[in-house]
Amino acid sequence: MRPAAAAITAFLSRRSSSLSSSSLVRVSKLTPTAASNSRRMTVYSFSHRDSLARALSVNAGGSGRNENYTGFSGEKHDGARNRKHPSRRQPKRAFSSSSTTLAAAAASSSDRTCSTRGTRAVELLPVYLTDARAVEQYCPDTCPDGALQLSVAENQMLEDLLVPAVRGFASPSSAANNEEETFFNDMIYYQPTPGRPALRKAMADYLRRILDLPGELDAEGMVVGAGCNAVLENLCICLANPGEGVLIPTPYYAAFEFDLVARAGLDIIPVPTLGHHPEVTIENDAAVPPEAYYPNRSSLDAAVAAARESGTEPKILLLSHPNNPLGVCYPPSVIKECIDWGRENEIHVVSDEIYAGSVYRESATSTEDPTFESALSIASRDTSGEGLGIGPYVHFVYALSKDFCL
């Protein structure tokens, strides 16, 4: 008999008399097996810790939704953990944050730095993982009176089979010990929503190198997602409410109109720049010089005034830097002007730098200035203290798809 089936059988034989069907959320019938003496086995799945505690008369422990959990992010990985008793209680995970604490922090911020739905989002975070893990889990040797937790889709009872199998093709063939492994036991369980700490730290180091940042990039302020469009959409949802506007200098990447409108419900506000550069002369039938496409205070103020006249309040300025489709990099002076303007007007500046690693290292017209300088570097020039200190109105988006042809 497999360990999972044996554990379920032993658990039910000990606890079936004390279970109350009124406390159960879902009951499923499993096909009888020879090992269960042809009896129909009933497995109980609970959706809340309190009902589980009442049914099994166990001490749920903790403080429910307001409990902070720590664990894997600071622990040394042990390849032998829970091999003998894979069903024993798992260490508490670091990614279960207190939704009440987060909501209070968000609510205390200015209504200009976070959207209403962004503030409410932390109140909607699922707490079933923390609730489920607050219960002592059943183990025939160490915790015979514990609960057999089936309300969370994690393969705790198959860890001894899954981890070696996945590790066989996820780790280098030369790996001789756990220090060289690339797949650890906790990776088969739910992961932190913003990304594993090691991944965020690696991305922070990588970005600091390719962007040539003047200071450390705080990995705690970084969120790793599945694609630049999803990250950009989620970011803008947190910064602006439905019906509010996103300023984008023209011409712009056409898919922005889908990424920011379809679900985020934002309004695109084009920012025409031609005619806002008196120092630039455009002759008939001549190519338009790149400088004519640079956003400046004049073009931004005009776009904001037009948007407000039509009933739309701008909350975000989205820059594509390096620019798509123009293929130009905005000079540092242009980026700084946009950042200063955004801070003064309490409008978020989002710099989409997905092409940051695909630029020439030296300018074709100047040997002194670099071809490209990240908005993160420029935004940090007027600040002091630890890290970059870019403040609440400057945001950065990047993806591997362009630089690595993914």
Side-chain angles (χ1 to χ4, degrees):
M1 183 186 300
R2 288 291 309 130
I8 293 175
T9 303
F11 172 80
L12 292 173
S13 65
R14 292 174 58 89
R15 305 299 299 176
S16 59
S17 60
S18 64
L19 289 170
S20 171
S21 59
S22 62
S23 301
L24 305 180
V25 174
R26 182 172 66 255
V27 180
S28 58
K29 300 293 185 179
L30 301 184
T31 303
T33 62
S36 62
N37 298 322
S38 299
R39 294 180 300 168
R40 294 188 65 81
M41 186 184 301
T42 304
V43 180
Y44 300 89
S45 179
F46 300 80
S47 65
H48 197 274
R49 182 187 63 191
D50 292 340
S51 60
L52 182 58
R54 287 195 301 270
L56 300 183
S57 300
V58 297
N59 180 13
S63 57
R65 297 178 180 230
N66 296 333
E67 183 172 2
N68 290 315
Y69 289 78
T70 57
F72 284 129
S73 60
E75 294 179 355
K76 179 180 179 181
H77 294 287
D78 182 2
R81 182 174 64 84
N82 291 335
R83 288 292 178 81
K84 293 183 179 180
H85 305 292
S87 60
R88 70 175 55 173
R89 186 182 184 185
Q90 299 295 323
K92 296 176 181 179
R93 312 292 205 272
F95 54 83
S96 299
S97 301
S98 167
S99 60
T100 300
T101 302
L102 290 173
S108 65
S109 65
S110 168
D111 59 355
R112 297 292 298 184
T113 60
C114 185
S115 66
T116 302
R117 57 184 174 180
T119 302
R120 289 185 59 249
V122 293
E123 301 175 3
L124 304 176
L125 290 174
V127 295
Y128 66 90
L129 288 178
T130 57
D131 288 347
R133 290 178 179 136
V135 181
E136 288 289 342
Q137 295 195 24
Y138 169 79
C139 178
D141 297 328
T142 62
C143 191
D145 293 327
L148 189 62
Q149 184 55 264
L150 299 181
S151 63
V152 178
E154 290 186 330
N155 297 294
Q156 297 177 5
M157 302 182 72
L158 297 177
E159 181 179 304
D160 58 332
L161 293 178
L162 289 175
V163 173
V166 178
R167 186 175 290 161
F169 61 81
S171 301
S173 58
S174 60
N177 53 61
N178 285 341
E179 294 182 357
E180 297 182 49
E181 301 285 5
T182 58
F183 190 88
F184 302 100
N185 291 36
D186 67 303
M187 290 183 177
I188 67 172
Y189 303 114
Y190 285 109
Q191 300 300 308
T193 299
R196 288 178 64 86
L199 173 61
R200 283 184 284 159
K201 177 62 167 60
M203 282 300 302
D205 294 341
Y206 166 74
L207 289 173
R208 184 185 183 186
R209 178 173 60 83
I210 68 164
L211 300 177
D212 194 23
L213 299 178
E216 294 290 339
L217 188 60
D218 184 11
E220 289 300 315
M222 179 180 296
V223 174
V224 179
C228 195
N229 60 341
V231 170
L232 182 61
E233 178 189 58
N234 290 334
L235 172 61
C236 291
I237 285 175
C238 292
L239 299 180
N241 292 312
E244 294 181 327
V246 181
L247 299 157
I248 310 179
T250 58
Y252 54 77
Y253 172 54
F256 283 150
E257 295 185 354
F258 175 82
D259 297 342
L260 304 180
V261 175
R263 289 186 297 184
L266 302 176
D267 290 343
I268 301 298
I269 305 173
V271 181
T273 58
L274 300 180
H276 292 275
H277 292 273
E279 74 282 1
V280 177
T281 301
I282 304 177
E283 299 180 359
N284 294 334
D285 298 328
V288 177
E291 294 81 2
Y293 292 108
Y294 295 163
N296 57 9
R297 288 180 178 270
S298 175
S299 60
L300 295 172
D301 287 339
V304 168
R308 287 174 176 167
E309 186 175 352
S310 65
T312 300
E313 179 63 25
K315 292 295 291 291
I316 300 170
L317 168 59
L318 175 59
L319 301 176
S320 179
H321 174 57
N323 185 274
N324 177 15
L326 293 176
V328 300
C329 299
Y330 293 130
S333 60
V334 173
I335 297 296
K336 186 178 188 307
E337 184 174 1
C338 290
I339 291 174
D340 291 344
W341 179 88
R343 287 169 171 168
E344 293 168 8
N345 292 275
E346 296 185 322
I347 291 179
H348 295 275
V349 178
V350 177
S351 184
D352 181 351
E353 302 183 10
I354 194 172
Y355 291 97
S358 300
V359 296
Y360 293 105
R361 297 302 178 186
E362 295 182 356
S363 171
T365 59
S366 173
T367 58
E368 298 179 359
D369 298 328
T371 303
F372 167 81
E373 186 171 3
S374 172
L376 294 179
S377 295
I378 299 169
S380 65
R381 290 176 181 172
D382 299 329
T383 59
S384 59
E386 296 183 359
L388 295 180
I390 59 178
Y393 290 105
V394 179
H395 312 271
F396 167 90
V397 176
Y398 174 82
L400 300 173
S401 58
K402 307 305 180 185
D403 293 341
F404 290 89
C405 302
L406 300 176

